Amino acid sequence: MNREVKVTLITTSLALVSILISFSVLTPPPIPGSDHLLHKATTLHVDSAFGPESLAFDPNGDGPYTGVADGRILKWQADALRWTHFAFTSSNRKDCVRAFAPEMEHICGRPLGLRFDNKTGDLYIADAYFGFQVVGPAGGLATQLTTEAEGQPLFFTNDMDIDDLDDVIYFTDTSTTFRRRQFLPSIVLQDKTGRLLKYNRSSKEVTVLLRDLAFANGVALSKDRSFVLVAESSNCQILRLWLHGPNAGNVDVFSELPGFPDNIRRNEKGEFWVALHAKKGLVAKLVLSHRWFGNTFLKLPLSFKQLHSLFIGGKPHATAIKLSENGEILQVLEDTEGKTMRLISEVEEKDGKLWIGSVMMPFVGIYNLQ
Ligand SMILES: *[C@@H]1O[C@H](CO)[C@@H](O)[C@H](O)[C@H]1NC(C)=O
Ligand SMILES: *[C@@H]1O[C@H](CO)[C@@H](O)[C@H](O)[C@H]1NC(C)=O
């Protein structure tokens, strides 16, 4: 392309994008019956850090702990009202000084899903670049449990849940071709190389339970351990794999969602909170309707930030969905304008509060259910 044509194309697309975004024509509408309440959440800033993706409380109820974009795992010290450095997944951290530097993730690590083993106090970590890890209650450098499954390296480890009784951990590898920082092309091109895996803690064996998943993301076991859920983000749905009982081994669609699900967390009642990265608006529908649109979309002369903004429909917003044990939508909480909460990644219910993470905010949200 010659320079002038290129400049004109860039200017035209930028103008078009800003017009569309400013008129909100692309903004996905509110979900029917949703409660517009999430803007009432309070925020807890992660000091000089960014993108607290997953949140976990230790067996004493302390925390939360959260993994941030510079590769650290931080702990909230409620008594001292500050975050402390708890653990890390990469031993080579001398250049990991910026709060947000996606080009450094493969060196610094990017801890995503976190879960505590309530018996031992060990923290299990799904690191997008360093595989599946564990760290003891004192923190420090985590140990790698596995970096491959059935001969294929883990490429984008994302989330997990622990089954104490069977002594296994279910976890996801989002893609075998796209890195975490390429999540947008991975979704837009509808990559289907994600896997749901099982780690046997006594034999240390890893087995593939499901393959060819479309952006395998959040994982949650049911309260009675009869099934495990896995979010397929780019298909906007949650799959259910039956583990025990008459249906063991079968997979079905647990829930279809109005957007892109990230992590799934069970509450004490056995219901599930699902965080949507974003709702599926007009642009996302079009882009995902045909591979040609996806390819063309990625070739627009726009920055990652602009492409992402266009894909989610302009205004960053927040949507949290509560599902019953059978997958029915029980409640939808929204911040449609993104006044307080945006682009959320996890909703963890504890003592009447929702603790809310995001890969694209510098804070954790706290929403009072009462
Ligand atoms: C550990 O206990 C917490 C409550 O303190 C609970 O939310 C969490 O699901 C438990 N984790 C596991 C793996 O059982
Ligand atoms: C885990 O591995 C052990 C030892 O090989 C085996 O006895 C056990 O059945 C396995 N557990 C599961 C749930 O696959």
Side-chain angles (χ1 to χ4, degrees):
M1 212 183 295
N2 85 36
R3 209 182 122 75
E4 261 164 54
V5 176
K6 202 167 177 180
V7 170
T8 315
L9 238 173
I10 292 176
T11 325
T12 318
S13 358
L14 287 183
L16 196 67
V17 168
S18 46
I19 289 168
L20 289 173
I21 288 175
S22 60
F23 284 105
S24 303
V25 273
L26 304 178
T27 311
I31 294 166
S34 73
D35 299 323
H36 295 249
L37 292 170
L38 271 192
H39 62 279
K40 292 186 176 166
T42 55
T43 57
L44 178 58
H45 278 260
V46 277
D47 318 323
S48 25
F50 190 81
E53 202 256 1
S54 179
L55 301 159
F57 292 90
D58 68 23
N60 300 323
D62 290 339
Y65 297 66
T66 189
V68 292
D70 64 21
R72 289 176 301 158
I73 292 162
L74 306 175
K75 177 184 180 184
W76 174 244
Q77 304 275 0
D79 46 358
L81 295 179
R82 64 189 184 98
W83 293 94
T84 52
H85 181 172
F86 178 71
F88 43 96
T89 52
S90 160
S91 54
N92 177 20
R93 294 196 45 83
K94 66 179 192 316
D95 296 323
C96 306
V97 289
R98 277 177 297 151
F100 183 68
E103 70 281 7
M104 295 295 288
E105 288 182 346
H106 62 293
I107 295 165
C108 304
R110 181 47 169 124
L112 299 175
L114 301 180
R115 296 274 192 179
F116 272 97
D117 177 329
N118 287 339
K119 285 186 198 140
T120 60
D122 289 339
L123 175 64
Y124 286 85
I125 307 158
D127 187 285
Y129 296 80
F130 289 89
F132 184 40
Q133 305 206 354
V134 67
V135 69
L141 179 62
T143 312
Q144 237 158 30
L145 290 167
T146 180
T147 55
E148 59 110 47
E150 297 184 1
Q152 192 153 29
L154 300 179
F155 205 64
F156 182 170
T157 328
N158 199 324
D159 195 29
M160 83 191 88
D161 203 359
I162 303 173
D163 184 338
D164 271 340
L165 290 179
D166 278 354
D167 207 27
V168 295
I169 301 177
Y170 298 94
F171 68 105
T172 44
D173 188 26
T174 297
S175 168
T176 52
T177 41
F178 288 91
R179 285 296 199 188
R180 194 213 73 91
R181 58 178 160 250
Q182 302 162 311
F183 74 89
L184 190 60
S186 170
I187 287 180
V188 166
L189 298 175
Q190 300 178 66
D191 172 70
K192 290 188 178 62
T193 60
R195 299 182 290 174
L196 177 69
L197 308 155
K198 179 172 91 169
Y199 175 75
N200 181 326
R201 286 203 284 194
S202 61
S203 68
K204 308 204 179 338
E205 229 172 27
V206 183
T207 39
V208 179
L209 299 176
L210 298 175
R211 55 182 89 238
D212 305 328
L213 300 177
F215 207 97
N217 201 333
V219 180
L221 265 175
S222 64
K223 195 174 178 183
D224 66 1
R225 301 162 46 256
S226 63
F227 60 83
V228 62
L229 299 179
V230 55
E232 266 200 305
S233 300
S234 39
N235 279 348
C236 300
Q237 66 182 16
I238 293 176
L239 297 180
R240 165 173 52 191
L241 171 65
W242 290 95
L243 300 168
H244 297 288
N247 297 322
N250 291 353
V251 189
D252 52 17
V253 175
F254 182 70
S255 185
E256 285 175 359
L257 299 164
F260 303 95
D262 200 330
N263 288 346
I264 312 168
R265 290 295 180 267
R266 198 181 70 227
N267 66 14
E268 278 184 352
K269 281 191 196 161
E271 301 156 339
F272 301 97
W273 280 104
V274 181
L276 297 190
H277 177 75
K279 289 182 280 190
K280 190 177 183 179
L282 277 177
V283 177
K285 278 182 190 153
L286 178 72
V287 164
L288 296 176
S289 68
H290 196 282
R291 206 176 161 91
W292 184 86
F293 288 116
N295 277 315
T296 309
F297 177 78
L298 292 175
K299 285 190 191 123
L300 293 175
L302 300 171
S303 69
F304 168 82
K305 221 176 154 183
Q306 291 163 330
L307 276 182
H308 181 261
S309 174
L310 192 57
F311 187 77
I312 63 162
K315 247 196 186 93
H317 48 272
T319 315
I321 298 186
K322 186 164 80 171
L323 300 175
S324 74
E325 279 183 295
N326 303 315
E328 299 117 355
I329 294 180
L330 298 175
Q331 189 179 15
V332 180
L333 293 174
E334 291 203 77
D335 182 350
T336 49
E337 308 266 296
K339 279 188 191 137
T340 317
M341 303 304 300
R342 299 178 282 278
L343 306 161
I344 64 175
S345 51
E346 185 175 302
V347 176
E348 170 84 36
E349 183 175 339
K350 183 174 185 284
D351 306 331
K353 290 191 175 79
L354 300 181
W355 290 77
I356 304 168
S358 165
V359 274
M360 292 188 174
M361 296 189 305
F363 51 76
V364 169
I366 306 166
Y367 175 77
N368 253 312
L369 284 170
Q370 286 95 359

